[in-house]
Amino acid sequence: MKLDAPFNLDPNVKVRTRFAPSPTGYLHVGGARTALYSWLYAKHNNGEFVLRIEDTDLERSTPEATAAIIEGMEWLNLPWEHGPYYQTKRFDRYNQVIDEMIEQGLAYRCYCTKDRLEELRHTQEQNKEKPRYDRHCLHDHSHSPDEPHVVRFKNPTEGSVVFDDAVRGRIEISNSELDDLIIRRTDGSPTYNFCVVVDDWDMGITHVVRGEDHINNTPRQINILKAIGAPIPTYAHVSMINGDDGQKLSKRHGAVSVMQYRDDGYLPEALINYLVRLGWGHGDQEIFSREEMINYFELDHVSKSASAFNTEKLQWLNQHYIRELPPEYVAKHLEWHYKDQGIDTSNGPALTEIVTMLAERCKTLKEMASSSRYFFEEFETFDEAAAKKHFKGNAAEALAKVKEKLTALSSWDLHSTHEAIEQTAAELEVGMGKVGMPLRVAVTGSGQSPSMDVTLVGIGRDRVLARIQRAIDFIHAQNA
């Protein structure tokens, strides 16, 4: 059987991996980690990475899901050299191979009705036998090819399928455990397990990194590859990801979609760094640059055990990257969150300044955007608890005095604003907190903000003075 596919493959590439999601939903965390491991292995070996959309499930596959998968891959910055390829556009190729297999006796047409197959299964179950097709149609030539039928792969009946899994070691499955798999349905459409085999062959895939839920598919696919004379890739089946409670990761644990993590304020670098450590390690190192991941990554260092997702650890990594990445880069991601929250940032400090001011305080960009709203727009009310705590005693006098000092400033900068607060405290003979905290609530609406000099400069003179007066009026109204 010859290779006859529309792929211009470089024969000098020694390693070619693929990520092959089904577009029946979003790109989930487990899929993203599989994609990352596959991508890293290709890069580590100066190889190529293929993106393939396995959309043979015509009822459940959607264009929206395909777009979501591609968006997730792009956000994570996992670029591919080839693709995206779509299985639904390759049906002619699959059917060509199936027809050749029938001619060579590697596959056969099966005309059995559903009733016969159900009766066969029932009998086998009663006899405590493993349900499997009995090859009734293998030598039956009484039917016309025009009659409704499926096509089955003629699986070997003796021996075993043995393969060395790059993560799990040697795996052996007896051929007596395997059935004559249907490779083409009655409607003429090829089945998933067959399409995967032809794709991996045509695309020159050397290493298949995928979830452990595919282990049962592997011996079937290896037998088909052997039958058509195709090379057998190296397989690596990675373990599942569980939630903190040990149960399979699901929506009840929070976000499972990659783009939900974007929406929740995580940087792609944090999620990538977190995912790479969910089942792989290099000594005790926790934080990896992308270059380090590529340099160190090996499949034989991937754990066989399931991993537990820990949101607190992800938040810790996220804050690390918020602090350590260039503010200009973080600001680009932060900008998305301001737009998402409907905050107009055209009138206020540069977003790079916001990043610098709040990097130590915020674990997510979503939190950073919402907690810095007062830099760009007016707030309707003062936080009730903060006002109750800090708008008491001589707060109105302190605010009036500091407003007088701030109004008289010839320049509006960190040094002059800080000095104005210090002088106010000295003249009133009170601690800095007795001036700074009422001032903080007055200009931000809450009791939390960066240092007051930074906050005042960021908000701007006119807004600060107007907000102080508003707070003074509020206090007088409360005491009236």
Side-chain angles (χ1 to χ4, degrees), residues 22-75:
S22 298
T24 55
Y26 45 71
L27 176 60
H28 56 81
V29 165
R33 186 189 62 172
T34 299
L36 173 62
Y37 284 2
S38 188
W39 186 87
L40 285 174
Y41 190 74
K43 298 301 120 183
H44 178 79
N45 291 282
N46 297 312
E48 293 178 342
F49 179 63
V50 175
L51 177 61
R52 184 169 81 218
I53 306 298
E54 297 189 336
D55 55 351
T56 51
D57 187 341
L58 300 177
E59 289 185 6
R60 295 173 60 224
S61 297
T62 66
E64 292 78 15
T66 299
I69 289 167
I70 291 173
E71 183 185 27
M73 293 289 286
E74 289 175 340
W75 183 72

CSV table of all heavy atoms in Angstrom, one decimal, residues 22-75:
chain,number,residue,atom,x,y,z
A,22,SER,N,-10.9,16.5,19.6
A,22,SER,CA,-12.2,16.4,19.0
A,22,SER,C,-13.0,17.7,19.3
A,22,SER,O,-13.1,18.1,20.5
A,22,SER,CB,-13.0,15.3,19.5
A,22,SER,OG,-12.4,14.0,19.2
A,23,PRO,N,-13.5,18.4,18.3
A,23,PRO,CA,-14.2,19.7,18.5
A,23,PRO,C,-15.6,19.6,19.0
A,23,PRO,O,-16.5,20.0,18.4
A,23,PRO,CB,-14.1,20.4,17.2
A,23,PRO,CG,-14.2,19.3,16.2
A,23,PRO,CD,-13.5,18.1,16.9
A,24,THR,N,-15.7,18.9,20.2
A,24,THR,CA,-17.1,18.8,20.7
A,24,THR,C,-17.3,19.6,22.0
A,24,THR,O,-18.3,19.6,22.7
A,24,THR,CB,-17.3,17.3,21.1
A,24,THR,OG1,-16.2,16.9,22.0
A,24,THR,CG2,-17.3,16.4,19.9
A,25,GLY,N,-16.3,20.5,22.3
A,25,GLY,CA,-16.3,21.4,23.4
A,25,GLY,C,-15.1,22.2,23.4
A,25,GLY,O,-14.3,22.3,22.5
A,26,TYR,N,-14.9,22.9,24.5
A,26,TYR,CA,-13.7,23.8,24.7
A,26,TYR,C,-12.4,23.0,24.8
A,26,TYR,O,-12.4,21.8,25.0
A,26,TYR,CB,-13.9,24.7,25.9
A,26,TYR,CG,-14.4,23.9,27.1
A,26,TYR,CD1,-13.6,23.1,27.8
A,26,TYR,CD2,-15.7,24.1,27.6
A,26,TYR,CE1,-14.0,22.3,28.9
A,26,TYR,CE2,-16.2,23.4,28.7
A,26,TYR,CZ,-15.3,22.5,29.3
A,26,TYR,OH,-15.8,21.8,30.4
A,27,LEU,N,-11.3,23.7,24.8
A,27,LEU,CA,-10.0,23.1,25.1
A,27,LEU,C,-9.9,23.1,26.6
A,27,LEU,O,-9.8,24.1,27.3
A,27,LEU,CB,-8.9,24.0,24.5
A,27,LEU,CG,-7.4,23.5,24.8
A,27,LEU,CD1,-7.2,22.1,24.3
A,27,LEU,CD2,-6.4,24.5,24.2
A,28,HIS,N,-9.9,21.8,27.2
A,28,HIS,CA,-9.9,21.7,28.6
A,28,HIS,C,-8.5,21.6,29.1
A,28,HIS,O,-7.5,21.4,28.3
A,28,HIS,CB,-10.8,20.6,29.1
A,28,HIS,CG,-10.4,19.2,28.5
A,28,HIS,ND1,-9.4,18.5,29.0
A,28,HIS,CD2,-11.0,18.6,27.5
A,28,HIS,CE1,-9.3,17.4,28.3
A,28,HIS,NE2,-10.3,17.4,27.4
A,29,VAL,N,-8.3,21.6,30.4
A,29,VAL,CA,-7.0,21.6,31.1
A,29,VAL,C,-6.2,20.4,30.7
A,29,VAL,O,-5.0,20.4,30.4
A,29,VAL,CB,-7.1,21.8,32.6
A,29,VAL,CG1,-5.8,21.5,33.3
A,29,VAL,CG2,-7.5,23.2,32.9
A,30,GLY,N,-6.9,19.2,30.7
A,30,GLY,CA,-6.2,18.0,30.4
A,30,GLY,C,-5.7,18.0,29.0
A,30,GLY,O,-4.5,17.6,28.7
A,31,GLY,N,-6.5,18.4,28.1
A,31,GLY,CA,-6.1,18.5,26.7
A,31,GLY,C,-5.0,19.5,26.5
A,31,GLY,O,-4.0,19.2,25.7
A,32,ALA,N,-5.0,20.6,27.2
A,32,ALA,CA,-3.9,21.6,27.1
A,32,ALA,C,-2.6,21.0,27.6
A,32,ALA,O,-1.6,21.3,27.0
A,32,ALA,CB,-4.3,22.9,27.9
A,33,ARG,N,-2.6,20.3,28.6
A,33,ARG,CA,-1.4,19.7,29.1
A,33,ARG,C,-0.9,18.7,28.1
A,33,ARG,O,0.4,18.6,27.9
A,33,ARG,CB,-1.6,19.0,30.5
A,33,ARG,CG,-0.3,18.5,31.1
A,33,ARG,CD,-0.5,17.6,32.3
A,33,ARG,NE,-1.2,16.4,32.0
A,33,ARG,CZ,-1.4,15.4,32.9
A,33,ARG,NH1,-0.9,15.5,34.1
A,33,ARG,NH2,-2.1,14.4,32.5
A,34,THR,N,-1.8,17.8,27.5
A,34,THR,CA,-1.3,16.9,26.5
A,34,THR,C,-0.7,17.6,25.3
A,34,THR,O,0.4,17.2,24.8
A,34,THR,CB,-2.5,16.1,26.0
A,34,THR,OG1,-3.1,15.3,27.1
A,34,THR,CG2,-2.1,15.1,24.9
A,35,ALA,N,-1.3,18.7,24.9
A,35,ALA,CA,-0.8,19.5,23.8
A,35,ALA,C,0.6,20.1,24.2
A,35,ALA,O,1.5,20.0,23.3
A,35,ALA,CB,-1.8,20.7,23.4
A,36,LEU,N,0.7,20.5,25.4
A,36,LEU,CA,2.0,21.1,25.8
A,36,LEU,C,3.1,20.1,25.8
A,36,LEU,O,4.2,20.3,25.3
A,36,LEU,CB,1.8,21.7,27.2
A,36,LEU,CG,3.1,22.2,27.9
A,36,LEU,CD1,3.8,23.3,27.2
A,36,LEU,CD2,2.8,22.6,29.4
A,37,TYR,N,2.8,18.9,26.4
A,37,TYR,CA,3.8,17.8,26.4
A,37,TYR,C,4.2,17.4,25.0
A,37,TYR,O,5.4,17.2,24.7
A,37,TYR,CB,3.3,16.6,27.2
A,37,TYR,CG,3.3,16.7,28.7
A,37,TYR,CD1,3.7,17.9,29.3
A,37,TYR,CD2,2.8,15.7,29.5
A,37,TYR,CE1,3.7,18.0,30.7
A,37,TYR,CE2,2.8,15.8,30.9
A,37,TYR,CZ,3.2,17.0,31.5
A,37,TYR,OH,3.2,17.1,32.8
A,38,SER,N,3.2,17.3,24.1
A,38,SER,CA,3.5,16.9,22.7
A,38,SER,C,4.3,18.0,22.1
A,38,SER,O,5.3,17.7,21.3
A,38,SER,CB,2.2,16.7,22.0
A,38,SER,OG,2.4,16.2,20.7
A,39,TRP,N,4.0,19.2,22.3
A,39,TRP,CA,4.7,20.4,21.7
A,39,TRP,C,6.2,20.4,22.2
A,39,TRP,O,7.1,20.6,21.5
A,39,TRP,CB,4.0,21.7,22.0
A,39,TRP,CG,4.5,22.9,21.4
A,39,TRP,CD1,4.2,23.4,20.1
A,39,TRP,CD2,5.5,23.8,22.0
A,39,TRP,NE1,4.9,24.6,19.9
A,39,TRP,CE2,5.7,24.9,21.0
A,39,TRP,CE3,6.1,23.9,23.2
A,39,TRP,CZ2,6.5,25.9,21.2
A,39,TRP,CZ3,7.0,25.0,23.4
A,39,TRP,CH2,7.2,26.0,22.4
A,40,LEU,N,6.3,20.3,23.5
A,40,LEU,CA,7.6,20.4,24.1
A,40,LEU,C,8.5,19.2,23.6
A,40,LEU,O,9.7,19.4,23.4
A,40,LEU,CB,7.5,20.3,25.7
A,40,LEU,CG,7.0,21.5,26.4
A,40,LEU,CD1,6.8,21.2,27.9
A,40,LEU,CD2,8.0,22.7,26.2
A,41,TYR,N,8.0,18.0,23.5
A,41,TYR,CA,8.8,16.9,23.0
A,41,TYR,C,9.3,17.2,21.6
A,41,TYR,O,10.5,16.9,21.3
A,41,TYR,CB,8.0,15.6,23.1
A,41,TYR,CG,8.9,14.4,22.8
A,41,TYR,CD1,9.8,14.0,23.8
A,41,TYR,CD2,8.9,13.7,21.6
A,41,TYR,CE1,10.7,12.9,23.6
A,41,TYR,CE2,9.8,12.7,21.3
A,41,TYR,CZ,10.6,12.3,22.3
A,41,TYR,OH,11.5,11.2,22.1
A,42,ALA,N,8.4,17.7,20.7
A,42,ALA,CA,8.8,18.1,19.4
A,42,ALA,C,9.9,19.1,19.4
A,42,ALA,O,11.0,19.0,18.7
A,42,ALA,CB,7.6,18.6,18.6
A,43,LYS,N,9.8,20.2,20.2
A,43,LYS,CA,10.7,21.3,20.2
A,43,LYS,C,12.1,20.8,20.8
A,43,LYS,O,13.1,21.2,20.4
A,43,LYS,CB,10.2,22.4,21.1
A,43,LYS,CG,8.9,23.1,20.6
A,43,LYS,CD,9.1,23.6,19.2
A,43,LYS,CE,8.1,23.0,18.2
A,43,LYS,NZ,8.2,23.4,16.8
A,44,HIS,N,12.0,19.9,21.9
A,44,HIS,CA,13.2,19.4,22.5
A,44,HIS,C,14.1,18.6,21.5
A,44,HIS,O,15.3,18.6,21.6
A,44,HIS,CB,12.8,18.5,23.7
A,44,HIS,CG,14.0,17.8,24.4
A,44,HIS,ND1,14.7,18.5,25.3
A,44,HIS,CD2,14.5,16.6,24.3
A,44,HIS,CE1,15.7,17.7,25.7
A,44,HIS,NE2,15.6,16.5,25.1
A,45,ASN,N,13.4,18.0,20.5
A,45,ASN,CA,14.1,17.2,19.6
A,45,ASN,C,14.2,17.9,18.2
A,45,ASN,O,14.4,17.2,17.2
A,45,ASN,CB,13.4,15.8,19.4
A,45,ASN,CG,13.5,15.0,20.7
A,45,ASN,OD1,14.5,14.4,20.9
A,45,ASN,ND2,12.5,15.0,21.5
A,46,ASN,N,14.1,19.2,18.2
A,46,ASN,CA,14.1,19.9,16.9
A,46,ASN,C,13.2,19.4,15.9
A,46,ASN,O,13.5,19.3,14.7
A,46,ASN,CB,15.6,19.9,16.4
A,46,ASN,CG,16.5,20.6,17.3
A,46,ASN,OD1,16.3,21.7,17.7
A,46,ASN,ND2,17.6,20.0,17.6
A,47,GLY,N,12.0,18.9,16.3
A,47,GLY,CA,11.0,18.3,15.5
A,47,GLY,C,9.9,19.3,15.1
A,47,GLY,O,10.0,20.5,15.2
A,48,GLU,N,8.8,18.7,14.6
A,48,GLU,CA,7.6,19.5,14.2
A,48,GLU,C,6.4,19.0,14.9
A,48,GLU,O,6.3,17.9,15.4
A,48,GLU,CB,7.4,19.3,12.7
A,48,GLU,CG,8.6,19.9,11.9
A,48,GLU,CD,8.4,19.7,10.4
A,48,GLU,OE1,7.6,18.8,10.0
A,48,GLU,OE2,9.0,20.4,9.6
A,49,PHE,N,5.5,20.0,15.0
A,49,PHE,CA,4.2,19.8,15.8
A,49,PHE,C,3.0,20.0,14.9
A,49,PHE,O,3.0,21.0,14.1
A,49,PHE,CB,4.2,20.8,17.0
A,49,PHE,CG,3.0,20.7,17.8
A,49,PHE,CD1,2.6,19.5,18.5
A,49,PHE,CD2,2.1,21.8,17.9
A,49,PHE,CE1,1.5,19.5,19.4
A,49,PHE,CE2,1.0,21.8,18.8
A,49,PHE,CZ,0.7,20.6,19.5
A,50,VAL,N,2.1,19.0,14.9
A,50,VAL,CA,1.0,19.1,14.0
A,50,VAL,C,-0.3,19.3,14.8
A,50,VAL,O,-0.5,18.7,15.8
A,50,VAL,CB,0.8,17.7,13.2
A,50,VAL,CG1,-0.4,17.7,12.4
A,50,VAL,CG2,2.1,17.5,12.3
A,51,LEU,N,-1.2,20.1,14.3
A,51,LEU,CA,-2.5,20.3,14.9
A,51,LEU,C,-3.5,19.7,14.0
A,51,LEU,O,-3.6,20.0,12.8
A,51,LEU,CB,-2.9,21.8,15.1
A,51,LEU,CG,-4.3,22.0,15.7
A,51,LEU,CD1,-4.5,21.4,17.1
A,51,LEU,CD2,-4.6,23.5,15.8
A,52,ARG,N,-4.3,18.7,14.5
A,52,ARG,CA,-5.3,18.0,13.7
A,52,ARG,C,-6.6,18.0,14.4
A,52,ARG,O,-6.7,17.7,15.6
A,52,ARG,CB,-4.8,16.5,13.6
A,52,ARG,CG,-5.7,15.7,12.7
A,52,ARG,CD,-5.0,14.4,12.4
A,52,ARG,NE,-5.1,13.4,13.4
A,52,ARG,CZ,-4.1,12.6,13.7
A,52,ARG,NH1,-3.0,12.6,13.1
A,52,ARG,NH2,-4.3,11.6,14.6
A,53,ILE,N,-7.7,18.4,13.8
A,53,ILE,CA,-9.0,18.5,14.3
A,53,ILE,C,-9.8,17.2,14.0
A,53,ILE,O,-10.1,17.0,12.8
A,53,ILE,CB,-9.8,19.7,13.8
A,53,ILE,CG1,-9.0,21.0,14.1
A,53,ILE,CG2,-11.1,19.8,14.5
A,53,ILE,CD1,-8.7,21.3,15.6
A,54,GLU,N,-10.0,16.4,15.0
A,54,GLU,CA,-10.7,15.1,14.7
A,54,GLU,C,-12.2,15.2,14.8
A,54,GLU,O,-12.8,15.0,15.9
A,54,GLU,CB,-10.1,14.0,15.6
A,54,GLU,CG,-8.6,13.8,15.4
A,54,GLU,CD,-8.0,12.6,16.2
A,54,GLU,OE1,-8.6,12.3,17.2
A,54,GLU,OE2,-7.0,12.2,15.7
A,55,ASP,N,-12.8,15.7,13.7
A,55,ASP,CA,-14.2,16.1,13.7
A,55,ASP,C,-15.1,15.0,13.0
A,55,ASP,O,-16.1,15.4,12.4
A,55,ASP,CB,-14.3,17.4,13.0
A,55,ASP,CG,-13.7,17.5,11.6
A,55,ASP,OD1,-13.0,16.5,11.2
A,55,ASP,OD2,-13.9,18.5,10.9
A,56,THR,N,-14.8,13.8,13.2
A,56,THR,CA,-15.6,12.7,12.5
A,56,THR,C,-16.9,12.5,13.2
A,56,THR,O,-17.9,12.0,12.6
A,56,THR,CB,-14.9,11.4,12.5
A,56,THR,OG1,-14.4,11.0,13.8
A,56,THR,CG2,-13.7,11.4,11.5
A,57,ASP,N,-17.0,13.0,14.5
A,57,ASP,CA,-18.3,12.9,15.2
A,57,ASP,C,-19.2,14.1,14.7
A,57,ASP,O,-19.2,15.2,15.3
A,57,ASP,CB,-18.1,13.0,16.7
A,57,ASP,CG,-19.4,12.8,17.5
A,57,ASP,OD1,-20.5,12.9,16.9
A,57,ASP,OD2,-19.3,12.5,18.7
A,58,LEU,N,-19.9,13.9,13.6
A,58,LEU,CA,-20.6,15.0,12.9
A,58,LEU,C,-21.7,15.6,13.7
A,58,LEU,O,-22.0,16.8,13.6
A,58,LEU,CB,-21.1,14.5,11.5
A,58,LEU,CG,-20.1,13.9,10.6
A,58,LEU,CD1,-20.7,13.4,9.3
A,58,LEU,CD2,-19.0,15.0,10.2
A,59,GLU,N,-22.3,14.8,14.6
A,59,GLU,CA,-23.4,15.3,15.4
A,59,GLU,C,-22.9,16.2,16.5
A,59,GLU,O,-23.6,17.2,16.8
A,59,GLU,CB,-24.2,14.1,16.0
A,59,GLU,CG,-25.0,13.3,15.0
A,59,GLU,CD,-25.9,12.3,15.6
A,59,GLU,OE1,-25.9,12.2,16.9
A,59,GLU,OE2,-26.5,11.5,14.9
A,60,ARG,N,-21.8,15.9,17.1
A,60,ARG,CA,-21.3,16.7,18.3
A,60,ARG,C,-20.3,17.8,17.9
A,60,ARG,O,-20.1,18.7,18.7
A,60,ARG,CB,-20.8,15.8,19.3
A,60,ARG,CG,-21.9,14.8,19.9
A,60,ARG,CD,-21.3,13.8,20.8
A,60,ARG,NE,-20.6,14.4,22.0
A,60,ARG,CZ,-19.5,14.1,22.5
A,60,ARG,NH1,-18.8,13.1,21.9
A,60,ARG,NH2,-18.9,14.7,23.5
A,61,SER,N,-19.6,17.6,16.8
A,61,SER,CA,-18.6,18.6,16.4
A,61,SER,C,-19.2,19.9,16.0
A,61,SER,O,-20.2,19.9,15.2
A,61,SER,CB,-17.7,18.0,15.3
A,61,SER,OG,-17.0,16.9,15.8
A,62,THR,N,-18.6,21.0,16.4
A,62,THR,CA,-19.2,22.3,16.0
A,62,THR,C,-18.0,23.3,15.6
A,62,THR,O,-16.9,23.2,16.1
A,62,THR,CB,-19.9,23.0,17.2
A,62,THR,OG1,-19.0,23.3,18.2
A,62,THR,CG2,-21.0,22.1,17.7
A,63,PRO,N,-18.3,24.2,14.7
A,63,PRO,CA,-17.3,25.2,14.3
A,63,PRO,C,-16.9,26.1,15.5
A,63,PRO,O,-15.8,26.5,15.6
A,63,PRO,CB,-18.1,26.1,13.3
A,63,PRO,CG,-19.2,25.2,12.8
A,63,PRO,CD,-19.6,24.3,13.9
A,64,GLU,N,-17.9,26.3,16.5
A,64,GLU,CA,-17.6,27.1,17.7
A,64,GLU,C,-16.5,26.4,18.5
A,64,GLU,O,-15.6,27.0,19.0
A,64,GLU,CB,-18.8,27.3,18.5
A,64,GLU,CG,-19.9,28.2,17.8
A,64,GLU,CD,-20.7,27.5,16.7
A,64,GLU,OE1,-20.7,26.2,16.7
A,64,GLU,OE2,-21.4,28.2,15.9
A,65,ALA,N,-16.7,25.1,18.7
A,65,ALA,CA,-15.7,24.3,19.5
A,65,ALA,C,-14.3,24.3,18.8
A,65,ALA,O,-13.3,24.5,19.4
A,65,ALA,CB,-16.2,22.9,19.7
A,66,THR,N,-14.3,24.2,17.5
A,66,THR,CA,-13.0,24.3,16.7
A,66,THR,C,-12.4,25.6,16.9
A,66,THR,O,-11.1,25.7,17.2
A,66,THR,CB,-13.3,24.0,15.2
A,66,THR,OG1,-13.9,22.7,15.0
A,66,THR,CG2,-12.0,24.1,14.4
A,67,ALA,N,-13.1,26.7,16.8
A,67,ALA,CA,-12.6,28.0,17.0
A,67,ALA,C,-12.1,28.2,18.5
A,67,ALA,O,-11.0,28.8,18.7
A,67,ALA,CB,-13.7,29.1,16.8
A,68,ALA,N,-12.8,27.6,19.4
A,68,ALA,CA,-12.4,27.7,20.8
A,68,ALA,C,-11.0,27.0,21.1
A,68,ALA,O,-10.2,27.4,21.8
A,68,ALA,CB,-13.4,27.1,21.8
A,69,ILE,N,-10.9,25.8,20.4
A,69,ILE,CA,-9.6,25.0,20.6
A,69,ILE,C,-8.5,25.8,20.0
A,69,ILE,O,-7.4,26.0,20.6
A,69,ILE,CB,-9.8,23.7,19.9
A,69,ILE,CG1,-10.7,22.8,20.7
A,69,ILE,CG2,-8.4,23.0,19.7
A,69,ILE,CD1,-11.1,21.5,19.9
A,70,ILE,N,-8.7,26.4,18.8
A,70,ILE,CA,-7.6,27.2,18.1
A,70,ILE,C,-7.3,28.4,19.0
A,70,ILE,O,-6.1,28.8,19.1
A,70,ILE,CB,-8.0,27.5,16.7
A,70,ILE,CG1,-8.0,26.2,15.9
A,70,ILE,CG2,-7.0,28.5,16.1
A,70,ILE,CD1,-8.5,26.4,14.5
A,71,GLU,N,-8.3,29.1,19.5
A,71,GLU,CA,-8.1,30.3,20.3
A,71,GLU,C,-7.3,29.9,21.6
A,71,GLU,O,-6.3,30.6,22.0
A,71,GLU,CB,-9.4,30.9,20.7
A,71,GLU,CG,-9.3,32.1,21.6
A,71,GLU,CD,-10.6,32.7,22.1
A,71,GLU,OE1,-11.6,31.9,22.3
A,71,GLU,OE2,-10.7,33.9,22.3
A,72,GLY,N,-7.6,28.8,22.2
A,72,GLY,CA,-6.9,28.3,23.4
A,72,GLY,C,-5.4,28.0,23.0
A,72,GLY,O,-4.5,28.4,23.8
A,73,MET,N,-5.1,27.4,21.9
A,73,MET,CA,-3.8,27.0,21.5
A,73,MET,C,-3.0,28.3,21.3
A,73,MET,O,-1.8,28.4,21.6
A,73,MET,CB,-3.8,26.1,20.3
A,73,MET,CG,-4.3,24.8,20.5
A,73,MET,SD,-3.3,23.7,21.5
A,73,MET,CE,-2.0,23.4,20.3
A,74,GLU,N,-3.6,29.3,20.6
A,74,GLU,CA,-2.9,30.5,20.3
A,74,GLU,C,-2.7,31.3,21.6
A,74,GLU,O,-1.6,31.9,21.7
A,74,GLU,CB,-3.8,31.4,19.3
A,74,GLU,CG,-3.8,30.7,17.9
A,74,GLU,CD,-4.7,31.5,17.0
A,74,GLU,OE1,-5.6,32.2,17.4
A,74,GLU,OE2,-4.5,31.3,15.7
A,75,TRP,N,-3.6,31.3,22.5
A,75,TRP,CA,-3.5,32.1,23.8
A,75,TRP,C,-2.3,31.5,24.6
A,75,TRP,O,-1.5,32.2,25.2
A,75,TRP,CB,-4.7,32.1,24.6
A,75,TRP,CG,-4.6,32.8,25.9
A,75,TRP,CD1,-4.6,34.2,26.0
A,75,TRP,CD2,-4.6,32.3,27.2
A,75,TRP,NE1,-4.5,34.6,27.3
A,75,TRP,CE2,-4.5,33.4,28.1
A,75,TRP,CE3,-4.6,31.0,27.7
A,75,TRP,CZ2,-4.4,33.3,29.5
A,75,TRP,CZ3,-4.5,30.9,29.1
A,75,TRP,CH2,-4.4,32.0,30.0
